[in-house]
Amino acid sequence: MTLMILGKLKKAIPSNGGKGADGAHVVALDIGTEYVKVLIARIDGESIEIIGAGKAHQGLDDMHSGAIADIAAVVRNCEQALGDAEQQAGMTVRQAVVGVAGELVKGLTHTIRYKRAEPDKPLDMDEMEFIIEKVQERAHDKVRKLVAWETGNEDVEIKLVNSAIVSIHIDSYKVSNPIGFQGKDVAIQIYTAFAPMVHIGALERTASELDLDLIAVAAEPFAVARSLLGTDASSNFSSVVIDIGGGTSDVAVINDGGVEGTKSFGIGGRAFTKTIATEMDIDYNRAEMLKVGLTDKDEMNGADKAKVLKALTKTLDVWIDGVELALSEFDAIDHLPNHVLLCGGGASLQPLVHVLKETKWYKDLPFTREPTIQRITPEQVAGIKDSTGKAGDHTFVTAMGLLRVGYDTMVGTGEAADSLKDKLNRMLRI
């Protein structure tokens, strides 16, 4: 029934194939464990305007730990959300960016140092391409071994999904654009994110079933970081970002305008719901309703609230341990940023925010002072305007980040992308 309705809807809406009189258009598809979220945006210059938004609930068996478990069911949910977004936007758009998440999605920053044979010769694009290839090769081997160890499968296949320059030093001197510089010792840091091919294949099949042209797949914590950084190449923005989804929590560290790395662990909103259901001996749907009541609106009566808070205690303790462990693995960073930003549906859970603000979970981590905790606001998402009124809170930040990755991809492959920065970025894309 959904397929037939959507088919009629698409015929009733003019399709622009991704292009319009006012500029390019892109679809962001955030396939989460709990919800599918779709945003359609118009791109004009450096401006990204959201003109359509849709959201659909996922079934309990549709996703597992942030990855697709039932392609057919997920496609149906995506069709519903996409249809709502297209109806609001008044058009169909085929160019799409989709997010990938889960514990086996690995993001890390790798550094390569080498001595140039001709230090007096200015560094050129060919030499930069050689350096970047070497960094990505080393990162690929490292992540493949890590995923093989975690899964017990030596033959696991992984694919690069995102890559971005964090920093470049020539003879210990930091440069933002290395082209034309002379020097002997070059050190380059590149953030790379990899995902198992089975995850990528499921996303590609989903996009194909939806008749979308997949222009990019993005690691979701990387996308969230991009939403905060925008187009400012000289940004010195620093923060710890925690995206709490239905199946996993993703942690990203942004330092001085660069993504230092991303980590993920398998505790999200559904773990809290299951804990309430088990501890209070109630069904899942009732437990979900009680959990949703623990928001800033505080719509729950005192007796129920006390029971739910007691049920959540152990899982919250395990969750905060997961955050601590994830951040402890950023051992190459001298100091963690003192600002923690939250997004995702799980960030609506007030007891979770409370435990971050009120406990000393950070005392054994390299913070220089007690970190501040807040949810990401629309004003903090750089260069993206919501004209729909439906995507203006922390639960849509990941989808907004996917729009930013779509912007990066479309601008970086356009005819006008002739700057040295654009050429470097094209090297980093797959």
PDB file of all heavy atoms in Angstrom, residues 349-375:
ATOM      1  N   LEU A 349      16.733  12.488  26.765  1.00  0.00           N
ATOM      2  CA  LEU A 349      16.540  11.825  28.070  1.00  0.00           C
ATOM      3  C   LEU A 349      17.201  12.660  29.165  1.00  0.00           C
ATOM      4  O   LEU A 349      18.425  12.701  29.280  1.00  0.00           O
ATOM      5  CB  LEU A 349      17.131  10.414  28.012  1.00  0.00           C
ATOM      6  CG  LEU A 349      16.871   9.501  29.204  1.00  0.00           C
ATOM      7  CD1 LEU A 349      15.383   9.228  29.375  1.00  0.00           C
ATOM      8  CD2 LEU A 349      17.634   8.185  29.034  1.00  0.00           C
ATOM      9  N   GLN A 350      16.394  13.308  29.968  1.00  0.00           N
ATOM     10  CA  GLN A 350      16.922  14.242  30.957  1.00  0.00           C
ATOM     11  C   GLN A 350      17.860  13.593  31.972  1.00  0.00           C
ATOM     12  O   GLN A 350      18.884  14.186  32.328  1.00  0.00           O
ATOM     13  CB  GLN A 350      15.768  14.949  31.668  1.00  0.00           C
ATOM     14  CG  GLN A 350      16.190  16.051  32.621  1.00  0.00           C
ATOM     15  CD  GLN A 350      17.012  17.148  31.947  1.00  0.00           C
ATOM     16  OE1 GLN A 350      16.855  17.410  30.763  1.00  0.00           O
ATOM     17  NE2 GLN A 350      17.908  17.773  32.704  1.00  0.00           N
ATOM     18  N   PRO A 351      17.583  12.376  32.489  1.00  0.00           N
ATOM     19  CA  PRO A 351      18.529  11.757  33.429  1.00  0.00           C
ATOM     20  C   PRO A 351      19.913  11.542  32.827  1.00  0.00           C
ATOM     21  O   PRO A 351      20.917  11.583  33.551  1.00  0.00           O
ATOM     22  CB  PRO A 351      17.857  10.416  33.767  1.00  0.00           C
ATOM     23  CG  PRO A 351      16.410  10.646  33.541  1.00  0.00           C
ATOM     24  CD  PRO A 351      16.340  11.568  32.375  1.00  0.00           C
ATOM     25  N   LEU A 352      19.995  11.324  31.519  1.00  0.00           N
ATOM     26  CA  LEU A 352      21.290  11.158  30.863  1.00  0.00           C
ATOM     27  C   LEU A 352      22.075  12.475  30.899  1.00  0.00           C
ATOM     28  O   LEU A 352      23.281  12.488  31.196  1.00  0.00           O
ATOM     29  CB  LEU A 352      21.066  10.684  29.430  1.00  0.00           C
ATOM     30  CG  LEU A 352      22.287  10.365  28.574  1.00  0.00           C
ATOM     31  CD1 LEU A 352      21.965   9.245  27.591  1.00  0.00           C
ATOM     32  CD2 LEU A 352      22.728  11.599  27.786  1.00  0.00           C
ATOM     33  N   VAL A 353      21.388  13.558  30.584  1.00  0.00           N
ATOM     34  CA  VAL A 353      22.045  14.878  30.657  1.00  0.00           C
ATOM     35  C   VAL A 353      22.461  15.171  32.092  1.00  0.00           C
ATOM     36  O   VAL A 353      23.555  15.689  32.353  1.00  0.00           O
ATOM     37  CB  VAL A 353      21.106  15.976  30.118  1.00  0.00           C
ATOM     38  CG1 VAL A 353      21.772  17.346  30.218  1.00  0.00           C
ATOM     39  CG2 VAL A 353      20.698  15.691  28.677  1.00  0.00           C
ATOM     40  N   HIS A 354      21.605  14.806  33.032  1.00  0.00           N
ATOM     41  CA  HIS A 354      21.882  15.065  34.452  1.00  0.00           C
ATOM     42  C   HIS A 354      23.144  14.336  34.909  1.00  0.00           C
ATOM     43  O   HIS A 354      23.977  14.904  35.622  1.00  0.00           O
ATOM     44  CB  HIS A 354      20.683  14.624  35.297  1.00  0.00           C
ATOM     45  CG  HIS A 354      20.879  14.801  36.763  1.00  0.00           C
ATOM     46  ND1 HIS A 354      20.693  16.008  37.405  1.00  0.00           N
ATOM     47  CD2 HIS A 354      21.272  13.920  37.736  1.00  0.00           C
ATOM     48  CE1 HIS A 354      20.959  15.866  38.689  1.00  0.00           C
ATOM     49  NE2 HIS A 354      21.307  14.606  38.920  1.00  0.00           N
ATOM     50  N   VAL A 355      23.292  13.064  34.510  1.00  0.00           N
ATOM     51  CA  VAL A 355      24.453  12.291  34.972  1.00  0.00           C
ATOM     52  C   VAL A 355      25.748  12.876  34.402  1.00  0.00           C
ATOM     53  O   VAL A 355      26.802  12.834  35.056  1.00  0.00           O
ATOM     54  CB  VAL A 355      24.296  10.797  34.604  1.00  0.00           C
ATOM     55  CG1 VAL A 355      24.575  10.524  33.146  1.00  0.00           C
ATOM     56  CG2 VAL A 355      25.180   9.923  35.484  1.00  0.00           C
ATOM     57  N   LEU A 356      25.695  13.444  33.211  1.00  0.00           N
ATOM     58  CA  LEU A 356      26.881  14.092  32.645  1.00  0.00           C
ATOM     59  C   LEU A 356      27.225  15.386  33.387  1.00  0.00           C
ATOM     60  O   LEU A 356      28.391  15.722  33.572  1.00  0.00           O
ATOM     61  CB  LEU A 356      26.655  14.403  31.161  1.00  0.00           C
ATOM     62  CG  LEU A 356      26.728  13.226  30.180  1.00  0.00           C
ATOM     63  CD1 LEU A 356      26.285  13.667  28.784  1.00  0.00           C
ATOM     64  CD2 LEU A 356      28.138  12.648  30.115  1.00  0.00           C
ATOM     65  N   LYS A 357      26.191  16.100  33.815  1.00  0.00           N
ATOM     66  CA  LYS A 357      26.415  17.388  34.469  1.00  0.00           C
ATOM     67  C   LYS A 357      26.772  17.260  35.949  1.00  0.00           C
ATOM     68  O   LYS A 357      27.544  18.069  36.480  1.00  0.00           O
ATOM     69  CB  LYS A 357      25.157  18.262  34.345  1.00  0.00           C
ATOM     70  CG  LYS A 357      24.911  18.825  32.960  1.00  0.00           C
ATOM     71  CD  LYS A 357      23.692  19.750  32.967  1.00  0.00           C
ATOM     72  CE  LYS A 357      23.506  20.425  31.622  1.00  0.00           C
ATOM     73  NZ  LYS A 357      22.336  21.346  31.611  1.00  0.00           N
ATOM     74  N   GLU A 358      26.233  16.246  36.609  1.00  0.00           N
ATOM     75  CA  GLU A 358      26.307  16.189  38.058  1.00  0.00           C
ATOM     76  C   GLU A 358      27.320  15.203  38.625  1.00  0.00           C
ATOM     77  O   GLU A 358      27.608  15.229  39.812  1.00  0.00           O
ATOM     78  CB  GLU A 358      24.918  15.882  38.638  1.00  0.00           C
ATOM     79  CG  GLU A 358      23.829  16.862  38.236  1.00  0.00           C
ATOM     80  CD  GLU A 358      24.131  18.284  38.682  1.00  0.00           C
ATOM     81  OE1 GLU A 358      24.780  18.447  39.742  1.00  0.00           O
ATOM     82  OE2 GLU A 358      23.732  19.229  37.980  1.00  0.00           O
ATOM     83  N   THR A 359      27.843  14.292  37.810  1.00  0.00           N
ATOM     84  CA  THR A 359      28.804  13.316  38.329  1.00  0.00           C
ATOM     85  C   THR A 359      30.227  13.673  37.886  1.00  0.00           C
ATOM     86  O   THR A 359      30.427  14.516  37.008  1.00  0.00           O
ATOM     87  CB  THR A 359      28.467  11.890  37.851  1.00  0.00           C
ATOM     88  OG1 THR A 359      28.605  11.825  36.421  1.00  0.00           O
ATOM     89  CG2 THR A 359      27.039  11.521  38.229  1.00  0.00           C
ATOM     90  N   LYS A 360      31.210  13.018  38.481  1.00  0.00           N
ATOM     91  CA  LYS A 360      32.620  13.299  38.185  1.00  0.00           C
ATOM     92  C   LYS A 360      33.190  12.285  37.183  1.00  0.00           C
ATOM     93  O   LYS A 360      34.337  11.855  37.304  1.00  0.00           O
ATOM     94  CB  LYS A 360      33.430  13.262  39.484  1.00  0.00           C
ATOM     95  CG  LYS A 360      32.956  14.242  40.539  1.00  0.00           C
ATOM     96  CD  LYS A 360      33.159  15.686  40.125  1.00  0.00           C
ATOM     97  CE  LYS A 360      32.746  16.647  41.237  1.00  0.00           C
ATOM     98  NZ  LYS A 360      32.912  18.071  40.833  1.00  0.00           N
ATOM     99  N   TRP A 361      32.410  11.922  36.176  1.00  0.00           N
ATOM    100  CA  TRP A 361      32.825  10.916  35.186  1.00  0.00           C
ATOM    101  C   TRP A 361      34.109  11.308  34.458  1.00  0.00           C
ATOM    102  O   TRP A 361      34.827  10.463  33.930  1.00  0.00           O
ATOM    103  CB  TRP A 361      31.700  10.722  34.168  1.00  0.00           C
ATOM    104  CG  TRP A 361      31.352  11.987  33.416  1.00  0.00           C
ATOM    105  CD1 TRP A 361      30.475  12.946  33.805  1.00  0.00           C
ATOM    106  CD2 TRP A 361      31.899  12.423  32.163  1.00  0.00           C
ATOM    107  NE1 TRP A 361      30.430  13.967  32.876  1.00  0.00           N
ATOM    108  CE2 TRP A 361      31.296  13.664  31.862  1.00  0.00           C
ATOM    109  CE3 TRP A 361      32.830  11.885  31.270  1.00  0.00           C
ATOM    110  CZ2 TRP A 361      31.595  14.387  30.700  1.00  0.00           C
ATOM    111  CZ3 TRP A 361      33.133  12.597  30.113  1.00  0.00           C
ATOM    112  CH2 TRP A 361      32.512  13.828  29.841  1.00  0.00           C
ATOM    113  N   TYR A 362      34.435  12.583  34.429  1.00  0.00           N
ATOM    114  CA  TYR A 362      35.539  13.127  33.638  1.00  0.00           C
ATOM    115  C   TYR A 362      36.868  13.180  34.409  1.00  0.00           C
ATOM    116  O   TYR A 362      37.899  13.544  33.844  1.00  0.00           O
ATOM    117  CB  TYR A 362      35.193  14.551  33.202  1.00  0.00           C
ATOM    118  CG  TYR A 362      34.818  15.445  34.364  1.00  0.00           C
ATOM    119  CD1 TYR A 362      35.790  16.111  35.104  1.00  0.00           C
ATOM    120  CD2 TYR A 362      33.497  15.586  34.748  1.00  0.00           C
ATOM    121  CE1 TYR A 362      35.454  16.897  36.183  1.00  0.00           C
ATOM    122  CE2 TYR A 362      33.146  16.379  35.830  1.00  0.00           C
ATOM    123  CZ  TYR A 362      34.133  17.034  36.534  1.00  0.00           C
ATOM    124  OH  TYR A 362      33.794  17.806  37.619  1.00  0.00           O
ATOM    125  N   LYS A 363      36.850  12.815  35.702  1.00  0.00           N
ATOM    126  CA  LYS A 363      38.013  13.102  36.561  1.00  0.00           C
ATOM    127  C   LYS A 363      39.288  12.389  36.131  1.00  0.00           C
ATOM    128  O   LYS A 363      40.390  12.885  36.387  1.00  0.00           O
ATOM    129  CB  LYS A 363      37.694  12.757  38.016  1.00  0.00           C
ATOM    130  CG  LYS A 363      37.335  11.308  38.283  1.00  0.00           C
ATOM    131  CD  LYS A 363      36.967  11.087  39.744  1.00  0.00           C
ATOM    132  CE  LYS A 363      36.500   9.671  40.010  1.00  0.00           C
ATOM    133  NZ  LYS A 363      37.531   8.658  39.710  1.00  0.00           N
ATOM    134  N   ASP A 364      39.195  11.234  35.482  1.00  0.00           N
ATOM    135  CA  ASP A 364      40.392  10.503  35.054  1.00  0.00           C
ATOM    136  C   ASP A 364      40.730  10.738  33.584  1.00  0.00           C
ATOM    137  O   ASP A 364      41.587  10.046  33.021  1.00  0.00           O
ATOM    138  CB  ASP A 364      40.202   8.992  35.289  1.00  0.00           C
ATOM    139  CG  ASP A 364      40.099   8.653  36.770  1.00  0.00           C
ATOM    140  OD1 ASP A 364      40.786   9.310  37.573  1.00  0.00           O
ATOM    141  OD2 ASP A 364      39.319   7.739  37.115  1.00  0.00           O
ATOM    142  N   LEU A 365      40.063  11.693  32.970  1.00  0.00           N
ATOM    143  CA  LEU A 365      40.302  12.030  31.562  1.00  0.00           C
ATOM    144  C   LEU A 365      41.053  13.354  31.471  1.00  0.00           C
ATOM    145  O   LEU A 365      40.988  14.184  32.385  1.00  0.00           O
ATOM    146  CB  LEU A 365      38.965  12.128  30.810  1.00  0.00           C
ATOM    147  CG  LEU A 365      38.181  10.815  30.678  1.00  0.00           C
ATOM    148  CD1 LEU A 365      36.774  11.090  30.163  1.00  0.00           C
ATOM    149  CD2 LEU A 365      38.903   9.843  29.758  1.00  0.00           C
ATOM    150  N   PRO A 366      41.766  13.601  30.367  1.00  0.00           N
ATOM    151  CA  PRO A 366      42.610  14.796  30.266  1.00  0.00           C
ATOM    152  C   PRO A 366      41.856  16.087  29.933  1.00  0.00           C
ATOM    153  O   PRO A 366      42.173  16.788  28.972  1.00  0.00           O
ATOM    154  CB  PRO A 366      43.598  14.423  29.150  1.00  0.00           C
ATOM    155  CG  PRO A 366      42.840  13.489  28.281  1.00  0.00           C
ATOM    156  CD  PRO A 366      41.979  12.679  29.218  1.00  0.00           C
ATOM    157  N   PHE A 367      40.827  16.401  30.722  1.00  0.00           N
ATOM    158  CA  PHE A 367      40.184  17.714  30.635  1.00  0.00           C
ATOM    159  C   PHE A 367      40.958  18.692  31.513  1.00  0.00           C
ATOM    160  O   PHE A 367      41.411  18.327  32.599  1.00  0.00           O
ATOM    161  CB  PHE A 367      38.734  17.651  31.123  1.00  0.00           C
ATOM    162  CG  PHE A 367      37.789  16.923  30.213  1.00  0.00           C
ATOM    163  CD1 PHE A 367      37.416  15.614  30.488  1.00  0.00           C
ATOM    164  CD2 PHE A 367      37.270  17.544  29.084  1.00  0.00           C
ATOM    165  CE1 PHE A 367      36.535  14.942  29.662  1.00  0.00           C
ATOM    166  CE2 PHE A 367      36.390  16.882  28.247  1.00  0.00           C
ATOM    167  CZ  PHE A 367      36.018  15.576  28.528  1.00  0.00           C
ATOM    168  N   THR A 368      41.086  19.933  31.069  1.00  0.00           N
ATOM    169  CA  THR A 368      41.794  20.931  31.875  1.00  0.00           C
ATOM    170  C   THR A 368      40.894  21.527  32.950  1.00  0.00           C
ATOM    171  O   THR A 368      41.374  22.113  33.919  1.00  0.00           O
ATOM    172  CB  THR A 368      42.333  22.056  30.982  1.00  0.00           C
ATOM    173  OG1 THR A 368      41.252  22.621  30.231  1.00  0.00           O
ATOM    174  CG2 THR A 368      43.393  21.512  30.017  1.00  0.00           C
ATOM    175  N   ARG A 369      39.584  21.396  32.769  1.00  0.00           N
ATOM    176  CA  ARG A 369      38.618  21.829  33.782  1.00  0.00           C
ATOM    177  C   ARG A 369      37.324  21.046  33.576  1.00  0.00           C
ATOM    178  O   ARG A 369      37.188  20.301  32.618  1.00  0.00           O
ATOM    179  CB  ARG A 369      38.358  23.340  33.708  1.00  0.00           C
ATOM    180  CG  ARG A 369      37.741  23.805  32.402  1.00  0.00           C
ATOM    181  CD  ARG A 369      37.452  25.300  32.471  1.00  0.00           C
ATOM    182  NE  ARG A 369      36.749  25.767  31.283  1.00  0.00           N
ATOM    183  CZ  ARG A 369      37.333  26.189  30.178  1.00  0.00           C
ATOM    184  NH1 ARG A 369      38.656  26.211  30.104  1.00  0.00           N
ATOM    185  NH2 ARG A 369      36.608  26.607  29.155  1.00  0.00           N
ATOM    186  N   GLU A 370      36.410  21.222  34.496  1.00  0.00           N
ATOM    187  CA  GLU A 370      35.133  20.512  34.388  1.00  0.00           C
ATOM    188  C   GLU A 370      34.440  20.876  33.079  1.00  0.00           C
ATOM    189  O   GLU A 370      34.231  22.063  32.780  1.00  0.00           O
ATOM    190  CB  GLU A 370      34.229  20.874  35.566  1.00  0.00           C
ATOM    191  CG  GLU A 370      32.880  20.183  35.523  1.00  0.00           C
ATOM    192  CD  GLU A 370      32.007  20.532  36.714  1.00  0.00           C
ATOM    193  OE1 GLU A 370      32.543  21.105  37.686  1.00  0.00           O
ATOM    194  OE2 GLU A 370      30.801  20.227  36.668  1.00  0.00           O
ATOM    195  N   PRO A 371      34.057  19.880  32.260  1.00  0.00           N
ATOM    196  CA  PRO A 371      33.445  20.193  30.968  1.00  0.00           C
ATOM    197  C   PRO A 371      32.021  20.723  31.115  1.00  0.00           C
ATOM    198  O   PRO A 371      31.291  20.338  32.037  1.00  0.00           O
ATOM    199  CB  PRO A 371      33.449  18.842  30.238  1.00  0.00           C
ATOM    200  CG  PRO A 371      33.495  17.817  31.316  1.00  0.00           C
ATOM    201  CD  PRO A 371      34.264  18.432  32.446  1.00  0.00           C
ATOM    202  N   THR A 372      31.650  21.628  30.219  1.00  0.00           N
ATOM    203  CA  THR A 372      30.272  22.099  30.156  1.00  0.00           C
ATOM    204  C   THR A 372      29.477  21.146  29.263  1.00  0.00           C
ATOM    205  O   THR A 372      30.008  20.583  28.307  1.00  0.00           O
ATOM    206  CB  THR A 372      30.187  23.519  29.586  1.00  0.00           C
ATOM    207  OG1 THR A 372      30.752  23.537  28.260  1.00  0.00           O
ATOM    208  CG2 THR A 372      30.955  24.491  30.455  1.00  0.00           C
ATOM    209  N   ILE A 373      28.205  20.959  29.568  1.00  0.00           N
ATOM    210  CA  ILE A 373      27.353  20.005  28.856  1.00  0.00           C
ATOM    211  C   ILE A 373      26.142  20.750  28.301  1.00  0.00           C
ATOM    212  O   ILE A 373      25.471  21.492  29.035  1.00  0.00           O
ATOM    213  CB  ILE A 373      26.848  18.878  29.787  1.00  0.00           C
ATOM    214  CG1 ILE A 373      27.991  18.299  30.648  1.00  0.00           C
ATOM    215  CG2 ILE A 373      26.134  17.803  28.977  1.00  0.00           C
ATOM    216  CD1 ILE A 373      29.050  17.567  29.880  1.00  0.00           C
ATOM    217  N   GLN A 374      25.857  20.571  27.019  1.00  0.00           N
ATOM    218  CA  GLN A 374      24.637  21.146  26.459  1.00  0.00           C
ATOM    219  C   GLN A 374      24.228  20.405  25.184  1.00  0.00           C
ATOM    220  O   GLN A 374      25.053  19.762  24.531  1.00  0.00           O
ATOM    221  CB  GLN A 374      24.808  22.639  26.151  1.00  0.00           C
ATOM    222  CG  GLN A 374      25.691  22.938  24.947  1.00  0.00           C
ATOM    223  CD  GLN A 374      25.663  24.400  24.561  1.00  0.00           C
ATOM    224  OE1 GLN A 374      26.483  25.168  25.055  1.00  0.00           O
ATOM    225  NE2 GLN A 374      24.753  24.783  23.684  1.00  0.00           N
ATOM    226  N   ARG A 375      22.954  20.467  24.869  1.00  0.00           N
ATOM    227  CA  ARG A 375      22.485  19.932  23.607  1.00  0.00           C
ATOM    228  C   ARG A 375      22.813  20.922  22.492  1.00  0.00           C
ATOM    229  O   ARG A 375      22.847  22.135  22.713  1.00  0.00           O
ATOM    230  CB  ARG A 375      20.979  19.688  23.652  1.00  0.00           C
ATOM    231  CG  ARG A 375      20.550  18.676  24.712  1.00  0.00           C
ATOM    232  CD  ARG A 375      19.049  18.402  24.579  1.00  0.00           C
ATOM    233  NE  ARG A 375      18.590  17.524  25.649  1.00  0.00           N
ATOM    234  CZ  ARG A 375      17.901  17.931  26.711  1.00  0.00           C
ATOM    235  NH1 ARG A 375      17.607  19.214  26.840  1.00  0.00           N
ATOM    236  NH2 ARG A 375      17.509  17.074  27.619  1.00  0.00           N
TER     237      ARG A 375
END
